[in-house]
Amino acid sequence: MKQELNEFSAVKITNAQLVPWPRVAAVGAMVAFSLPTFITGLEIHQALEPIQALLALVIGSLIIFAIGGVMGVIGAKTRMSSYLLVRIAFGDKGASIVNIAFAISLLGWFGVNINLFGDAVSRLALDVFEIKVAPLTLAIIASFCMTLTTVIGFKAINWLATIMVPILAGVTFLLAYSALSEHSFSQIMATEKVATFSLGQGISAVVGAIIIGAIILPDITRFVKHWSSAIYIAFIAYVVVQLLVMGAAGLAGAASGKTDILDIMIDLGLGLGASIIVIAGSWVLNSLNLYSAVLSTTATFPKLNATLVTICLGLVGIFVALLNLLDNFITFIFYLSIIFVPVAGIIISDYLFIRPHAYNIESLSDNRTFAPKGFIAWLLSAVFAILSTESLISSPSGIAAIDAIILAGIIYTTLSWNERRSSHRIKS
């Protein structure tokens, strides 16, 4: 009961729950080792010329590092989850809207990954081990394991990630090595093809693939002992691991000429490695997705029992998997980046420039009910980014995610500047 209160209620993490930062970094890295990250790297390779694909991966990873680094630092300093930070930025009632939206998005990711898991493991079982298993059966078993892990809490997720990271790193290295054994890096970069994405769209796709994880990074960085550790965690997860995973997938796609990551890995003799990536990566990633969805739900409805919420959301996740969101995977993650990046911009601006003194657990007892300025900034920046993406208006940066976060920060800071001055007068 004590663990439930500490992890899922409106309290900050205690000193007894803090862990060494490399263990938290393992959880962040596992998100990048997941199958959707490999798929995104392959999709970027297919949609862009080689040099543009490389630029999209590097720039996209740096953007995610910047967003996740700042959000992670805020979580480490306050020791609060992202959903408590949303409560402070958007108000108690306003946060309900934002947190439920996050929960829906996370359950969408849960469904995408369960869908990926069922199809992938079913194929691998047949191709590698000659065992026929129905994808739905595998999805139900996987959902049960992921839900059980989430019920246990961060400790179980952290333990699983710590064990699996070295193994998945080895598989990723073998994938890149096998690809480069077929064709040299210079030959791959010299390949000519017609791009179907602009560079900005490619960067936004990279950002969209993991933006939710960067925004909710406080959910795990609140467990570290010093705020600087959050920067190390974000760098390892987004600049090192994510870039290497997407890069390895792109190299493998270029070397093989195929468009399916599982076919590529099987052809390269990495069928067992593919199985490990699918099972371990999906297990940790989806446990973390469900963990954060529970945090968002219990932050909105604090009287609910966290264990029952976890079980119910796990069942909802199975239903979402049946919707087969994979058919529009790239579109799904692309628009996620546009819609949710502004939330990070508003929290960061509020914490750094407007009301830094409000970001403590004690302020929740006298928190504002609703923050219309935050919602105005969120709506306007998201609409602007979508319109610029559809070429209805010109994009200042050419990258929808960048437009969204910068515009959200500027609008919120401008609207709230008087609030900053008044809060300073109250403090003095």
Side-chain angles (χ1 to χ4, degrees):
M1 183 68 176
K2 183 178 180 181
Q3 182 182 10
E4 178 179 304
L5 287 173
N6 283 335
E7 290 201 39
F8 295 112
S9 298
V11 296
K12 67 180 184 180
I13 294 301
T14 63
N15 288 333
Q17 290 180 290
L18 300 180
V19 299
W21 72 264
R23 289 177 55 188
V24 181
V27 177
M30 280 298 296
V31 174
F33 277 124
S34 63
L35 187 58
T37 311
F38 282 92
I39 292 175
T40 301
L42 186 58
E43 294 278 3
I44 294 300
H45 155 72
Q46 294 167 357
L48 292 169
E49 296 176 357
I51 187 63
Q52 285 187 318
L54 180 60
L55 286 173
L57 294 180
V58 172
I59 297 172
S61 297
L62 290 175
I63 291 172
I64 289 292
F65 166 61
I67 297 171
V70 177
M71 290 296 295
V73 166
I74 296 174
K77 283 190 171 184
T78 63
R79 294 190 185 177
M80 292 191 289
S81 70
S82 56
Y83 308 101
L84 296 181
L85 300 179
V86 168
R87 277 184 62 184
I88 295 173
F90 287 86
D92 289 337
K93 299 297 183 183
S96 299
I97 300 173
V98 180
N99 283 337
I100 290 302
F102 269 115
I104 292 172
S105 174
L106 288 163
L107 288 176
W109 273 114
F110 189 94
V112 165
N113 285 300
I114 287 293
N115 194 252
L116 279 170
F117 180 93
D119 290 344
V121 174
S122 179
R123 284 180 52 196
L124 289 169
L126 185 61
D127 293 345
V128 180
F129 305 104
E130 297 183 351
I131 300 173
K132 188 174 183 179
V133 187
L136 181 59
T137 301
L138 292 167
I140 293 173
I141 294 172
S143 296
F144 173 80
C145 294
M146 295 163 187
T147 302
L148 179 61
T149 303
T150 306
V151 168
I152 297 172
F154 179 78
K155 183 178 180 180
I157 299 172
N158 182 232
W159 177 82
L160 187 61
T162 302
I163 292 175
M164 296 309 304
V165 160
I167 298 173
L168 295 181
V171 173
T172 303
F173 171 79
L174 288 175
L175 178 63
Y177 179 81
S178 299
L180 292 175
S181 298
E182 299 286 334
H183 299 282
S184 68
F185 183 76
S186 59
Q187 288 176 321
I188 292 174
M189 294 303 294
T191 304
E192 295 184 1
K193 61 179 178 179
V194 178
T196 57
F197 268 21
S198 67
L199 177 60
Q201 288 175 318
I203 294 171
S204 288
V206 173
V207 172
I210 207 166
I211 184 60
I212 298 298
I215 295 175
I216 64 176
L217 197 62
D219 294 352
I220 61 174
T221 59
R222 61 188 175 137
F223 289 97
V224 300
K225 298 176 181 179
H226 192 269
W227 65 265
S228 61
S229 299
I231 298 177
Y232 308 150
I233 292 167
F235 183 82
I236 290 172
Y238 304 132
V239 178
V240 178
V241 179
Q242 176 182 279
L243 189 57
L244 289 177
V245 168
M246 290 188 178
L251 289 174
S256 68
K258 294 191 174 183
T259 59
D260 185 282
I261 188 65
L262 296 180
D263 287 341
I264 293 170
M265 296 188 75
I266 291 172
D267 285 352
L268 292 174
L270 297 173
L272 180 59
S275 302
I276 294 173
I277 286 174
V278 172
I279 295 173
S282 298
W283 193 341
V284 173
L285 176 60
N286 254 11
S287 297
L288 194 58
N289 282 335
L290 189 57
Y291 179 81
S292 294
V294 173
L295 283 174
S296 69
T297 304
T298 53
T300 306
F301 305 104
K303 294 183 179 180
L304 295 178
N305 179 274
T307 300
L308 292 178
V309 170
T310 304
I311 294 170
C312 291
L313 291 183
L315 293 173
V316 172
I318 296 176
F319 172 76
V320 173
L322 299 178
L323 299 178
N324 198 21
L325 294 175
L326 281 175
D327 290 342
N328 298 295
F329 182 71
I330 285 292
T331 302
F332 177 65
I333 63 173
F334 180 74
Y335 283 100
L336 271 181
S337 71
I338 297 173
I339 294 171
F340 287 108
V341 160
V343 174
I346 292 163
I347 293 175
I348 292 170
S349 297
D350 197 38
Y351 179 81
L352 293 179
F353 308 121
I354 307 300
R355 303 179 311 127
H357 60 280
Y359 282 77
N360 57 78
I361 198 68
E362 291 77 16
S363 68
L364 288 175
S365 61
D366 190 30
N367 196 32
R368 55 188 179 180
T369 302
F370 191 77
K373 297 170 185 176
F375 277 92
I376 292 171
W378 186 18
L379 177 63
L380 291 179
S381 56
V383 169
F384 180 88
I386 291 173
L387 292 177
S388 64
T389 299
E390 301 299 328
S391 301
L392 297 176
I393 57 177
S394 60
S395 168
S397 68
I399 306 168
I402 288 291
D403 294 341
I405 192 169
I406 293 177
L407 188 59
I410 291 174
I411 293 174
Y412 180 77
T413 301
T414 301
L415 293 176
S416 304
W417 196 253
N418 288 336
E419 186 178 344
R420 174 183 182 272
R421 292 203 299 268
S422 63
S423 66
H424 282 189
R425 285 197 297 270
I426 291 173
K427 287 180 69 179
S428 61

